[in-house]
Amino acid sequence: MAFIELKDVSYTYIEGDEPPVTALKNINLSVEKGEMIAIIGPNGSGKSTLAKLFNGLFQPTEGSVSVGGLNTSDQDKIWDIRQQVGMVFQNPDNQLIATMVEEEVAFGPENLGLPSATIKARVDEALALVGLEEFRQAAPHHLSGGQKQRVAIAGIFAMRPDCIVFDEPTAMLDPMGRKEVMATIQKLRSEGKTIVYITHFMEEVVDCDRVIILKEGEKILEGTPLEVFQARELIKDADLELPEVPYLVYRLREAGLQLPDEILTPESLVEKLCLLN
Amino acid sequence: MFVELKDVYYRYQAGEEDILRGVNLGIEKGEFVALVGHTGSGKSTLVQTINGLLRPSSGQVLIEGREIKEWESPIMVRKKVGLVFQYPEHQLFEETVFKDIAFGPKNLGWSEKEIKEKVKQAMDFVQLDYEELKDRSPFGLSGGQKRRAAIAGVLAMEPELLILDEPIAGLDPRGRRKLLDRINWLNEEQGITVLLISHRMEDAARRAQKLFVMNQGQIVLQGSPQEIFEQRDELYEIGLEIPPLNEVLWQLRKCGYPVRTDIFTIEDVEEEILRHWRGFRCSKI
């Protein structure tokens, strides 16, 4: 059994007298320990709803979600599950509450009731991981967007979850902030964390093990980044855009250039073009 | 010159660091220009001096040749220069979508009938259904709809210069493309002058005729997108990246291929590579 398993999951929002809205339909999905998967889809495709199912913030309307063998609908186990699966959201301003960076990072471990020496060690370790040791006394609201998001990541990391779900963590950041956050996620990955990465930017999924594309609440495609990038028609149908380099490679191949199709970055395209001569 | 900034300095309080440090900039009527620069470079402060929200500590901001501080009222400046803030949806506040969009026009002293017409036009333009949404609470709209409602509120005042501060942040690719297409249309068909702030160099390059690059409170580069992307190393130094396709061309040139680096659409880049791919041997790999 995989670490996280979704079986025939559907989710319907029911609010007052409004007609019910089905956000997810028959999703089957498994995530192995240590894997990094990306979930990609346009606004309204059900990505954020899916994210909230991973740690029991939402319960599926139909089907089941299990984490480490525990069913998320088992209310007795919900805190065990949330300790295993942490979440980082889009807007860092909505996630930060303390007046000092180190207090912010200590907040989660404190709530776990850990002894203060352990909390301190975990805060040190988490701040080192995200590269913000020198900001420990700083006020979170004085930091840049990328730094704030790294504080949020450190706070989750300090709780030692096995898996972290990122729900569009770069949507509100500039290119520099986005780079910082992406690099931090790669570090978490090398620490062995399981990563679920939700985005609508295809260029961000290049490094993932597996990519899942959602459209109108359904899983329409699953595969490695390379496999997914080949499915140009499906990508277009899902209102997504192929990153520019793979798209250029596709066009050059169509025009008769003998390039391999596994090119994703400017560097590898240049290398392959040079080899052609 | 429609808008002109002459040696503009700005600091929040005396004794504090200058946010703007001697900005000179000119925008002609009907132009579509873009302002790029990393967070904290002064972009948002700069545009707030153009619609009179912030008054420069020194230097001049002129609209149609007249300094802003000489205008009879700030409302007249804001009628000319509409500013859409970053995450404008956070500023929706009225009970209904109609009232929110009508807020600006009401301050201009227009009649009820005129206001209704302008609101309807603005909603049509941003593709919000007037009949369906006018009486709804703006807080019940989707993220993309909220963004468009907020933009409609600025458009309803019929500004001659429209400034948008990161209007596409947080939107998905289709939402981004649709919004930028509408802005292009405003510029081309309605003759509205546009100043776009964007993190995404490729959008700035493909949409604008002219780019201004800011760093540490100054305009450090300006010119056509072609001219700006020729300055790849200078852009890197101030924390900006050229679009990935231009990066491909740059690296090819470093490898010894005399490719052009002043192009930025996928069609042009494809053609350029096809023209050269047999030409020279790469020595570095």
Side-chain angles (χ1 to χ4, degrees), chain B residues 32-36 180 184 196 198-211 223-229 242-243 246 262-265:
Chain B
F32 189 140
V33 303
L35 185 59
V36 298
L180 289 173
N184 263 124
L196 173 75
S198 181
H199 293 321
R200 289 176 55 93
M201 289 284 250
E202 46 273 56
D203 288 327
R206 283 170 201 159
R207 303 284 172 168
Q209 295 137 12
K210 194 169 172 190
L211 302 188
S224 65
Q226 290 89 333
E227 288 163 346
I228 297 294
F229 292 159
I242 59 174
N246 294 77
D262 62 345
I263 47 180
F264 47 83
T265 67

PDB file of all heavy atoms in Angstrom, chain B residues 32-36 180 184 196 198-211 223-229 242-243 246 262-265:
ATOM      1  N   PHE B  32       2.291  51.801 -25.225  1.00  0.00           N
ATOM      2  CA  PHE B  32       2.133  50.695 -24.272  1.00  0.00           C
ATOM      3  C   PHE B  32       3.532  50.436 -23.743  1.00  0.00           C
ATOM      4  O   PHE B  32       4.401  49.950 -24.454  1.00  0.00           O
ATOM      5  CB  PHE B  32       1.574  49.460 -24.984  1.00  0.00           C
ATOM      6  CG  PHE B  32       1.163  48.338 -24.053  1.00  0.00           C
ATOM      7  CD1 PHE B  32      -0.001  47.618 -24.321  1.00  0.00           C
ATOM      8  CD2 PHE B  32       1.905  47.994 -22.942  1.00  0.00           C
ATOM      9  CE1 PHE B  32      -0.403  46.575 -23.488  1.00  0.00           C
ATOM     10  CE2 PHE B  32       1.520  46.967 -22.100  1.00  0.00           C
ATOM     11  CZ  PHE B  32       0.355  46.248 -22.381  1.00  0.00           C
ATOM     12  N   VAL B  33       3.762  50.824 -22.482  1.00  0.00           N
ATOM     13  CA  VAL B  33       5.098  50.640 -21.907  1.00  0.00           C
ATOM     14  C   VAL B  33       5.019  49.691 -20.717  1.00  0.00           C
ATOM     15  O   VAL B  33       3.962  49.519 -20.123  1.00  0.00           O
ATOM     16  CB  VAL B  33       5.732  51.981 -21.469  1.00  0.00           C
ATOM     17  CG1 VAL B  33       5.797  52.951 -22.627  1.00  0.00           C
ATOM     18  CG2 VAL B  33       4.985  52.594 -20.294  1.00  0.00           C
ATOM     19  N   ALA B  34       6.142  49.065 -20.412  1.00  0.00           N
ATOM     20  CA  ALA B  34       6.187  48.165 -19.267  1.00  0.00           C
ATOM     21  C   ALA B  34       7.317  48.573 -18.342  1.00  0.00           C
ATOM     22  O   ALA B  34       8.349  49.091 -18.788  1.00  0.00           O
ATOM     23  CB  ALA B  34       6.375  46.727 -19.716  1.00  0.00           C
ATOM     24  N   LEU B  35       7.084  48.355 -17.056  1.00  0.00           N
ATOM     25  CA  LEU B  35       8.075  48.669 -16.032  1.00  0.00           C
ATOM     26  C   LEU B  35       8.448  47.348 -15.353  1.00  0.00           C
ATOM     27  O   LEU B  35       7.572  46.671 -14.828  1.00  0.00           O
ATOM     28  CB  LEU B  35       7.435  49.640 -15.039  1.00  0.00           C
ATOM     29  CG  LEU B  35       8.268  50.249 -13.920  1.00  0.00           C
ATOM     30  CD1 LEU B  35       9.434  51.039 -14.476  1.00  0.00           C
ATOM     31  CD2 LEU B  35       7.375  51.162 -13.069  1.00  0.00           C
ATOM     32  N   VAL B  36       9.720  46.995 -15.405  1.00  0.00           N
ATOM     33  CA  VAL B  36      10.150  45.752 -14.772  1.00  0.00           C
ATOM     34  C   VAL B  36      11.238  46.050 -13.739  1.00  0.00           C
ATOM     35  O   VAL B  36      11.893  47.089 -13.794  1.00  0.00           O
ATOM     36  CB  VAL B  36      10.658  44.699 -15.798  1.00  0.00           C
ATOM     37  CG1 VAL B  36       9.562  44.304 -16.747  1.00  0.00           C
ATOM     38  CG2 VAL B  36      11.863  45.212 -16.578  1.00  0.00           C
ATOM     39  N   LEU B 180      -4.411  40.095 -20.527  1.00  0.00           N
ATOM     40  CA  LEU B 180      -3.438  40.872 -21.299  1.00  0.00           C
ATOM     41  C   LEU B 180      -3.976  41.190 -22.690  1.00  0.00           C
ATOM     42  O   LEU B 180      -3.736  42.270 -23.227  1.00  0.00           O
ATOM     43  CB  LEU B 180      -2.105  40.128 -21.384  1.00  0.00           C
ATOM     44  CG  LEU B 180      -1.315  40.074 -20.070  1.00  0.00           C
ATOM     45  CD1 LEU B 180      -0.090  39.182 -20.209  1.00  0.00           C
ATOM     46  CD2 LEU B 180      -0.893  41.472 -19.616  1.00  0.00           C
ATOM     47  N   ASN B 184      -4.311  44.889 -24.265  1.00  0.00           N
ATOM     48  CA  ASN B 184      -3.797  45.226 -25.597  1.00  0.00           C
ATOM     49  C   ASN B 184      -4.894  45.874 -26.451  1.00  0.00           C
ATOM     50  O   ASN B 184      -4.659  46.835 -27.177  1.00  0.00           O
ATOM     51  CB  ASN B 184      -3.309  43.974 -26.331  1.00  0.00           C
ATOM     52  CG  ASN B 184      -1.813  43.793 -26.208  1.00  0.00           C
ATOM     53  OD1 ASN B 184      -1.347  42.767 -25.767  1.00  0.00           O
ATOM     54  ND2 ASN B 184      -1.053  44.810 -26.580  1.00  0.00           N
ATOM     55  N   LEU B 196       2.337  48.957 -17.790  1.00  0.00           N
ATOM     56  CA  LEU B 196       2.163  47.646 -17.169  1.00  0.00           C
ATOM     57  C   LEU B 196       3.379  47.321 -16.311  1.00  0.00           C
ATOM     58  O   LEU B 196       4.511  47.409 -16.782  1.00  0.00           O
ATOM     59  CB  LEU B 196       2.023  46.596 -18.277  1.00  0.00           C
ATOM     60  CG  LEU B 196       1.987  45.121 -17.871  1.00  0.00           C
ATOM     61  CD1 LEU B 196       0.629  44.775 -17.272  1.00  0.00           C
ATOM     62  CD2 LEU B 196       2.256  44.222 -19.078  1.00  0.00           C
ATOM     63  N   SER B 198       5.195  44.245 -14.562  1.00  0.00           N
ATOM     64  CA  SER B 198       5.126  42.786 -14.572  1.00  0.00           C
ATOM     65  C   SER B 198       6.450  42.157 -14.194  1.00  0.00           C
ATOM     66  O   SER B 198       7.506  42.622 -14.569  1.00  0.00           O
ATOM     67  CB  SER B 198       4.701  42.281 -15.950  1.00  0.00           C
ATOM     68  OG  SER B 198       4.621  40.878 -15.940  1.00  0.00           O
ATOM     69  N   HIS B 199       6.364  41.065 -13.420  1.00  0.00           N
ATOM     70  CA  HIS B 199       7.553  40.260 -13.103  1.00  0.00           C
ATOM     71  C   HIS B 199       7.972  39.453 -14.307  1.00  0.00           C
ATOM     72  O   HIS B 199       9.104  39.010 -14.403  1.00  0.00           O
ATOM     73  CB  HIS B 199       7.223  39.204 -12.046  1.00  0.00           C
ATOM     74  CG  HIS B 199       6.900  39.721 -10.701  1.00  0.00           C
ATOM     75  ND1 HIS B 199       7.560  40.767 -10.152  1.00  0.00           N
ATOM     76  CD2 HIS B 199       6.015  39.316  -9.779  1.00  0.00           C
ATOM     77  CE1 HIS B 199       7.073  40.990  -8.936  1.00  0.00           C
ATOM     78  NE2 HIS B 199       6.124  40.116  -8.698  1.00  0.00           N
ATOM     79  N   ARG B 200       7.000  39.161 -15.163  1.00  0.00           N
ATOM     80  CA  ARG B 200       7.286  38.223 -16.254  1.00  0.00           C
ATOM     81  C   ARG B 200       7.813  38.977 -17.455  1.00  0.00           C
ATOM     82  O   ARG B 200       7.079  39.649 -18.161  1.00  0.00           O
ATOM     83  CB  ARG B 200       6.031  37.424 -16.617  1.00  0.00           C
ATOM     84  CG  ARG B 200       5.646  36.407 -15.543  1.00  0.00           C
ATOM     85  CD  ARG B 200       4.358  35.725 -15.890  1.00  0.00           C
ATOM     86  NE  ARG B 200       4.389  35.117 -17.205  1.00  0.00           N
ATOM     87  CZ  ARG B 200       4.719  33.852 -17.435  1.00  0.00           C
ATOM     88  NH1 ARG B 200       5.050  33.070 -16.441  1.00  0.00           N
ATOM     89  NH2 ARG B 200       4.707  33.391 -18.664  1.00  0.00           N
ATOM     90  N   MET B 201       9.113  38.855 -17.675  1.00  0.00           N
ATOM     91  CA  MET B 201       9.762  39.586 -18.749  1.00  0.00           C
ATOM     92  C   MET B 201       9.157  39.242 -20.103  1.00  0.00           C
ATOM     93  O   MET B 201       9.066  40.086 -20.977  1.00  0.00           O
ATOM     94  CB  MET B 201      11.252  39.245 -18.772  1.00  0.00           C
ATOM     95  CG  MET B 201      12.003  39.825 -17.619  1.00  0.00           C
ATOM     96  SD  MET B 201      12.248  41.585 -17.880  1.00  0.00           S
ATOM     97  CE  MET B 201      13.983  41.613 -18.158  1.00  0.00           C
ATOM     98  N   GLU B 202       8.743  37.973 -20.286  1.00  0.00           N
ATOM     99  CA  GLU B 202       8.235  37.603 -21.602  1.00  0.00           C
ATOM    100  C   GLU B 202       6.922  38.314 -21.905  1.00  0.00           C
ATOM    101  O   GLU B 202       6.686  38.730 -23.038  1.00  0.00           O
ATOM    102  CB  GLU B 202       8.115  36.089 -21.800  1.00  0.00           C
ATOM    103  CG  GLU B 202       7.473  35.278 -20.688  1.00  0.00           C
ATOM    104  CD  GLU B 202       8.463  34.836 -19.611  1.00  0.00           C
ATOM    105  OE1 GLU B 202       9.134  35.720 -19.049  1.00  0.00           O
ATOM    106  OE2 GLU B 202       8.545  33.633 -19.310  1.00  0.00           O
ATOM    107  N   ASP B 203       6.090  38.497 -20.879  1.00  0.00           N
ATOM    108  CA  ASP B 203       4.841  39.221 -21.109  1.00  0.00           C
ATOM    109  C   ASP B 203       5.127  40.686 -21.410  1.00  0.00           C
ATOM    110  O   ASP B 203       4.553  41.265 -22.324  1.00  0.00           O
ATOM    111  CB  ASP B 203       3.921  39.126 -19.882  1.00  0.00           C
ATOM    112  CG  ASP B 203       3.338  37.728 -19.744  1.00  0.00           C
ATOM    113  OD1 ASP B 203       3.107  37.087 -20.782  1.00  0.00           O
ATOM    114  OD2 ASP B 203       3.120  37.292 -18.607  1.00  0.00           O
ATOM    115  N   ALA B 204       6.024  41.256 -20.638  1.00  0.00           N
ATOM    116  CA  ALA B 204       6.381  42.648 -20.858  1.00  0.00           C
ATOM    117  C   ALA B 204       6.909  42.832 -22.276  1.00  0.00           C
ATOM    118  O   ALA B 204       6.517  43.743 -22.997  1.00  0.00           O
ATOM    119  CB  ALA B 204       7.427  43.085 -19.836  1.00  0.00           C
ATOM    120  N   ALA B 205       7.762  41.906 -22.699  1.00  0.00           N
ATOM    121  CA  ALA B 205       8.400  42.029 -24.005  1.00  0.00           C
ATOM    122  C   ALA B 205       7.402  41.893 -25.146  1.00  0.00           C
ATOM    123  O   ALA B 205       7.474  42.605 -26.139  1.00  0.00           O
ATOM    124  CB  ALA B 205       9.480  40.970 -24.150  1.00  0.00           C
ATOM    125  N   ARG B 206       6.470  40.968 -24.993  1.00  0.00           N
ATOM    126  CA  ARG B 206       5.550  40.711 -26.102  1.00  0.00           C
ATOM    127  C   ARG B 206       4.416  41.723 -26.168  1.00  0.00           C
ATOM    128  O   ARG B 206       3.776  41.861 -27.192  1.00  0.00           O
ATOM    129  CB  ARG B 206       4.983  39.302 -25.989  1.00  0.00           C
ATOM    130  CG  ARG B 206       6.008  38.288 -26.443  1.00  0.00           C
ATOM    131  CD  ARG B 206       5.615  36.879 -26.150  1.00  0.00           C
ATOM    132  NE  ARG B 206       6.826  36.074 -26.148  1.00  0.00           N
ATOM    133  CZ  ARG B 206       6.924  34.906 -25.556  1.00  0.00           C
ATOM    134  NH1 ARG B 206       5.902  34.402 -24.917  1.00  0.00           N
ATOM    135  NH2 ARG B 206       8.051  34.235 -25.613  1.00  0.00           N
ATOM    136  N   ARG B 207       4.149  42.382 -25.071  1.00  0.00           N
ATOM    137  CA  ARG B 207       2.997  43.285 -25.055  1.00  0.00           C
ATOM    138  C   ARG B 207       3.393  44.741 -25.245  1.00  0.00           C
ATOM    139  O   ARG B 207       2.643  45.505 -25.813  1.00  0.00           O
ATOM    140  CB  ARG B 207       2.254  43.145 -23.726  1.00  0.00           C
ATOM    141  CG  ARG B 207       1.800  41.739 -23.423  1.00  0.00           C
ATOM    142  CD  ARG B 207       0.596  41.367 -24.233  1.00  0.00           C
ATOM    143  NE  ARG B 207       0.249  39.959 -24.086  1.00  0.00           N
ATOM    144  CZ  ARG B 207      -0.895  39.436 -24.511  1.00  0.00           C
ATOM    145  NH1 ARG B 207      -1.788  40.183 -25.121  1.00  0.00           N
ATOM    146  NH2 ARG B 207      -1.129  38.161 -24.356  1.00  0.00           N
ATOM    147  N   ALA B 208       4.526  45.136 -24.714  1.00  0.00           N
ATOM    148  CA  ALA B 208       4.859  46.562 -24.681  1.00  0.00           C
ATOM    149  C   ALA B 208       5.789  46.949 -25.823  1.00  0.00           C
ATOM    150  O   ALA B 208       6.539  46.126 -26.334  1.00  0.00           O
ATOM    151  CB  ALA B 208       5.508  46.899 -23.343  1.00  0.00           C
ATOM    152  N   GLN B 209       5.710  48.220 -26.195  1.00  0.00           N
ATOM    153  CA  GLN B 209       6.631  48.726 -27.221  1.00  0.00           C
ATOM    154  C   GLN B 209       7.942  49.181 -26.587  1.00  0.00           C
ATOM    155  O   GLN B 209       8.955  49.290 -27.252  1.00  0.00           O
ATOM    156  CB  GLN B 209       6.001  49.932 -27.942  1.00  0.00           C
ATOM    157  CG  GLN B 209       4.764  49.575 -28.721  1.00  0.00           C
ATOM    158  CD  GLN B 209       3.669  50.621 -28.516  1.00  0.00           C
ATOM    159  OE1 GLN B 209       3.900  51.693 -27.984  1.00  0.00           O
ATOM    160  NE2 GLN B 209       2.463  50.283 -28.956  1.00  0.00           N
ATOM    161  N   LYS B 210       7.867  49.478 -25.317  1.00  0.00           N
ATOM    162  CA  LYS B 210       9.034  50.049 -24.667  1.00  0.00           C
ATOM    163  C   LYS B 210       9.106  49.514 -23.239  1.00  0.00           C
ATOM    164  O   LYS B 210       8.082  49.395 -22.575  1.00  0.00           O
ATOM    165  CB  LYS B 210       8.844  51.568 -24.631  1.00  0.00           C
ATOM    166  CG  LYS B 210      10.069  52.351 -24.312  1.00  0.00           C
ATOM    167  CD  LYS B 210       9.755  53.806 -24.590  1.00  0.00           C
ATOM    168  CE  LYS B 210      10.852  54.727 -24.130  1.00  0.00           C
ATOM    169  NZ  LYS B 210      10.396  56.125 -24.204  1.00  0.00           N
ATOM    170  N   LEU B 211      10.317  49.210 -22.771  1.00  0.00           N
ATOM    171  CA  LEU B 211      10.490  48.736 -21.404  1.00  0.00           C
ATOM    172  C   LEU B 211      11.338  49.731 -20.607  1.00  0.00           C
ATOM    173  O   LEU B 211      12.287  50.300 -21.132  1.00  0.00           O
ATOM    174  CB  LEU B 211      11.219  47.392 -21.363  1.00  0.00           C
ATOM    175  CG  LEU B 211      10.648  46.174 -22.098  1.00  0.00           C
ATOM    176  CD1 LEU B 211      11.455  44.939 -21.743  1.00  0.00           C
ATOM    177  CD2 LEU B 211       9.198  45.968 -21.740  1.00  0.00           C
ATOM    178  N   GLY B 223      14.294  51.089 -23.305  1.00  0.00           N
ATOM    179  CA  GLY B 223      14.386  50.889 -24.744  1.00  0.00           C
ATOM    180  C   GLY B 223      13.355  49.882 -25.193  1.00  0.00           C
ATOM    181  O   GLY B 223      12.508  49.446 -24.416  1.00  0.00           O
ATOM    182  N   SER B 224      13.444  49.499 -26.466  1.00  0.00           N
ATOM    183  CA  SER B 224      12.526  48.493 -26.988  1.00  0.00           C
ATOM    184  C   SER B 224      12.882  47.161 -26.333  1.00  0.00           C
ATOM    185  O   SER B 224      13.996  46.981 -25.855  1.00  0.00           O
ATOM    186  CB  SER B 224      12.688  48.388 -28.498  1.00  0.00           C
ATOM    187  OG  SER B 224      13.982  47.903 -28.797  1.00  0.00           O
ATOM    188  N   PRO B 225      11.940  46.203 -26.320  1.00  0.00           N
ATOM    189  CA  PRO B 225      12.270  44.886 -25.764  1.00  0.00           C
ATOM    190  C   PRO B 225      13.535  44.306 -26.406  1.00  0.00           C
ATOM    191  O   PRO B 225      14.375  43.727 -25.711  1.00  0.00           O
ATOM    192  CB  PRO B 225      11.042  44.048 -26.102  1.00  0.00           C
ATOM    193  CG  PRO B 225       9.922  45.019 -26.244  1.00  0.00           C
ATOM    194  CD  PRO B 225      10.529  46.290 -26.758  1.00  0.00           C
ATOM    195  N   GLN B 226      13.691  44.494 -27.703  1.00  0.00           N
ATOM    196  CA  GLN B 226      14.884  43.978 -28.385  1.00  0.00           C
ATOM    197  C   GLN B 226      16.160  44.563 -27.779  1.00  0.00           C
ATOM    198  O   GLN B 226      17.111  43.851 -27.502  1.00  0.00           O
ATOM    199  CB  GLN B 226      14.854  44.333 -29.895  1.00  0.00           C
ATOM    200  CG  GLN B 226      13.810  43.596 -30.686  1.00  0.00           C
ATOM    201  CD  GLN B 226      12.466  44.341 -30.692  1.00  0.00           C
ATOM    202  OE1 GLN B 226      12.146  45.091 -29.783  1.00  0.00           O
ATOM    203  NE2 GLN B 226      11.675  44.094 -31.726  1.00  0.00           N
ATOM    204  N   GLU B 227      16.127  45.874 -27.580  1.00  0.00           N
ATOM    205  CA  GLU B 227      17.319  46.536 -27.025  1.00  0.00           C
ATOM    206  C   GLU B 227      17.595  46.065 -25.603  1.00  0.00           C
ATOM    207  O   GLU B 227      18.742  45.842 -25.222  1.00  0.00           O
ATOM    208  CB  GLU B 227      17.135  48.063 -27.044  1.00  0.00           C
ATOM    209  CG  GLU B 227      17.206  48.649 -28.441  1.00  0.00           C
ATOM    210  CD  GLU B 227      16.627  50.065 -28.521  1.00  0.00           C
ATOM    211  OE1 GLU B 227      15.929  50.511 -27.581  1.00  0.00           O
ATOM    212  OE2 GLU B 227      16.882  50.723 -29.527  1.00  0.00           O
ATOM    213  N   ILE B 228      16.546  45.894 -24.831  1.00  0.00           N
ATOM    214  CA  ILE B 228      16.726  45.508 -23.424  1.00  0.00           C
ATOM    215  C   ILE B 228      17.319  44.095 -23.315  1.00  0.00           C
ATOM    216  O   ILE B 228      18.232  43.847 -22.526  1.00  0.00           O
ATOM    217  CB  ILE B 228      15.380  45.573 -22.657  1.00  0.00           C
ATOM    218  CG1 ILE B 228      14.844  46.992 -22.634  1.00  0.00           C
ATOM    219  CG2 ILE B 228      15.526  45.013 -21.243  1.00  0.00           C
ATOM    220  CD1 ILE B 228      15.666  47.990 -21.864  1.00  0.00           C
ATOM    221  N   PHE B 229      16.822  43.165 -24.121  1.00  0.00           N
ATOM    222  CA  PHE B 229      17.292  41.789 -23.992  1.00  0.00           C
ATOM    223  C   PHE B 229      18.712  41.601 -24.507  1.00  0.00           C
ATOM    224  O   PHE B 229      19.345  40.581 -24.265  1.00  0.00           O
ATOM    225  CB  PHE B 229      16.336  40.811 -24.671  1.00  0.00           C
ATOM    226  CG  PHE B 229      15.029  40.724 -23.953  1.00  0.00           C
ATOM    227  CD1 PHE B 229      13.900  40.257 -24.579  1.00  0.00           C
ATOM    228  CD2 PHE B 229      14.937  41.116 -22.635  1.00  0.00           C
ATOM    229  CE1 PHE B 229      12.690  40.207 -23.909  1.00  0.00           C
ATOM    230  CE2 PHE B 229      13.741  41.071 -21.954  1.00  0.00           C
ATOM    231  CZ  PHE B 229      12.617  40.615 -22.601  1.00  0.00           C
ATOM    232  N   ILE B 242      16.410  37.108 -18.392  1.00  0.00           N
ATOM    233  CA  ILE B 242      15.769  37.232 -19.689  1.00  0.00           C
ATOM    234  C   ILE B 242      14.900  35.992 -19.892  1.00  0.00           C
ATOM    235  O   ILE B 242      15.109  34.964 -19.254  1.00  0.00           O
ATOM    236  CB  ILE B 242      16.803  37.413 -20.834  1.00  0.00           C
ATOM    237  CG1 ILE B 242      17.781  36.231 -20.893  1.00  0.00           C
ATOM    238  CG2 ILE B 242      17.568  38.698 -20.644  1.00  0.00           C
ATOM    239  CD1 ILE B 242      18.714  36.292 -22.091  1.00  0.00           C
ATOM    240  N   PRO B 243      13.880  36.070 -20.766  1.00  0.00           N
ATOM    241  CA  PRO B 243      13.004  34.912 -20.965  1.00  0.00           C
ATOM    242  C   PRO B 243      13.800  33.696 -21.457  1.00  0.00           C
ATOM    243  O   PRO B 243      14.866  33.852 -22.060  1.00  0.00           O
ATOM    244  CB  PRO B 243      12.031  35.395 -22.043  1.00  0.00           C
ATOM    245  CG  PRO B 243      12.072  36.884 -21.967  1.00  0.00           C
ATOM    246  CD  PRO B 243      13.459  37.236 -21.541  1.00  0.00           C
ATOM    247  N   ASN B 246      15.233  33.582 -24.976  1.00  0.00           N
ATOM    248  CA  ASN B 246      16.375  34.461 -25.181  1.00  0.00           C
ATOM    249  C   ASN B 246      17.631  33.891 -24.540  1.00  0.00           C
ATOM    250  O   ASN B 246      18.738  34.079 -25.039  1.00  0.00           O
ATOM    251  CB  ASN B 246      16.067  35.851 -24.628  1.00  0.00           C
ATOM    252  CG  ASN B 246      14.973  36.506 -25.423  1.00  0.00           C
ATOM    253  OD1 ASN B 246      13.799  36.179 -25.256  1.00  0.00           O
ATOM    254  ND2 ASN B 246      15.345  37.371 -26.333  1.00  0.00           N
ATOM    255  N   ASP B 262      18.213  39.537 -30.370  1.00  0.00           N
ATOM    256  CA  ASP B 262      17.261  40.641 -30.153  1.00  0.00           C
ATOM    257  C   ASP B 262      15.843  40.272 -30.588  1.00  0.00           C
ATOM    258  O   ASP B 262      15.064  41.122 -30.971  1.00  0.00           O
ATOM    259  CB  ASP B 262      17.733  41.885 -30.908  1.00  0.00           C
ATOM    260  CG  ASP B 262      17.795  41.658 -32.408  1.00  0.00           C
ATOM    261  OD1 ASP B 262      17.746  40.482 -32.836  1.00  0.00           O
ATOM    262  OD2 ASP B 262      17.876  42.650 -33.150  1.00  0.00           O
ATOM    263  N   ILE B 263      15.530  38.985 -30.571  1.00  0.00           N
ATOM    264  CA  ILE B 263      14.188  38.538 -30.961  1.00  0.00           C
ATOM    265  C   ILE B 263      13.568  37.806 -29.782  1.00  0.00           C
ATOM    266  O   ILE B 263      14.290  37.336 -28.904  1.00  0.00           O
ATOM    267  CB  ILE B 263      14.252  37.601 -32.192  1.00  0.00           C
ATOM    268  CG1 ILE B 263      15.334  36.539 -31.986  1.00  0.00           C
ATOM    269  CG2 ILE B 263      14.496  38.390 -33.462  1.00  0.00           C
ATOM    270  CD1 ILE B 263      15.487  35.581 -33.129  1.00  0.00           C
ATOM    271  N   PHE B 264      12.243  37.706 -29.720  1.00  0.00           N
ATOM    272  CA  PHE B 264      11.663  37.102 -28.519  1.00  0.00           C
ATOM    273  C   PHE B 264      10.358  36.367 -28.744  1.00  0.00           C
ATOM    274  O   PHE B 264       9.779  35.870 -27.789  1.00  0.00           O
ATOM    275  CB  PHE B 264      11.504  38.155 -27.425  1.00  0.00           C
ATOM    276  CG  PHE B 264      10.877  39.409 -27.902  1.00  0.00           C
ATOM    277  CD1 PHE B 264       9.500  39.509 -27.996  1.00  0.00           C
ATOM    278  CD2 PHE B 264      11.662  40.478 -28.295  1.00  0.00           C
ATOM    279  CE1 PHE B 264       8.922  40.665 -28.454  1.00  0.00           C
ATOM    280  CE2 PHE B 264      11.079  41.646 -28.760  1.00  0.00           C
ATOM    281  CZ  PHE B 264       9.707  41.737 -28.842  1.00  0.00           C
ATOM    282  N   THR B 265       9.868  36.293 -29.978  1.00  0.00           N
ATOM    283  CA  THR B 265       8.685  35.455 -30.151  1.00  0.00           C
ATOM    284  C   THR B 265       9.152  34.062 -30.555  1.00  0.00           C
ATOM    285  O   THR B 265      10.234  33.892 -31.122  1.00  0.00           O
ATOM    286  CB  THR B 265       7.734  35.991 -31.241  1.00  0.00           C
ATOM    287  OG1 THR B 265       8.397  35.882 -32.504  1.00  0.00           O
ATOM    288  CG2 THR B 265       7.348  37.430 -30.976  1.00  0.00           C
TER     289      THR B 265
END
